[in-house]
Amino acid sequence: EKQYEHPTVLRWEVQCEDLTERDFSTFTEEAVLLLCGYFRYVPNVESGSPAWEVEHSLSDKQLGRLLSTARQVSRPCRGGGTGHHADTGAPRTNQDGALDEVGGSICPACVIL
């Protein structure tokens, strides 16, 4: 949600245990598949922590659809969100939606959209 209407790409970094120490066995597999489908995996070389960046070509309209869908199908996780965000300074190249494909996927460059 922090990325919505933000002009530059944000990076979200988490600790490995935040992905592996959950109450249901398929959490890690499902979370990583979802994250890698919608975002770019950019691990932090210094800390070794996994990190993801929003695809720079996603528009705010596409992010809105993604957030709406995620809210409808998400399972509640105890403890809420985790990790921290950093601004990469890289511009979002399609924030206004001028390059969106009519009737296309949310993000043609993303893996599972």
Side-chain angles (χ1 to χ4, degrees):
E1 291 182 2
K2 290 179 185 257
Q3 184 66 77
Y4 189 77
E5 295 185 343
H6 192 81
T8 55
V9 174
L10 298 179
R11 179 176 295 140
W12 176 53
E13 185 175 333
V14 297
Q15 298 299 311
C16 289
E17 54 270 13
D18 292 332
L19 293 174
T20 58
E21 296 177 4
R22 292 293 177 172
D23 290 340
F24 49 97
S25 62
T26 61
F27 177 81
T28 301
E29 180 181 341
E30 291 174 0
V32 171
L33 178 63
L34 177 72
L35 288 167
C36 288
Y38 293 95
F39 306 102
R40 293 177 189 252
Y41 178 63
V42 287
N44 185 323
V45 178
E46 294 173 10
S47 70
S49 297
W52 288 269
E53 293 177 0
V54 170
E55 168 61 41
H56 67 89
S57 64
L58 280 173
S59 67
D60 279 342
K61 181 179 178 183
Q62 292 167 323
L63 279 173
R65 287 175 49 202
L66 173 71
L67 290 168
S68 176
T69 301
R71 286 184 196 113
Q72 292 173 16
V73 299
S74 68
R75 294 187 211 179
C77 293
R78 276 187 253 164
T82 186
H84 67 275
H85 295 88
D87 194 326
T88 67
R92 291 181 51 213
T93 58
N94 187 35
Q95 184 177 5
D96 64 0
L99 303 174
D100 288 358
E101 293 184 18
V102 177
S105 68
I106 294 174
C107 174
C110 299
V111 178
I112 61 172
L113 291 173

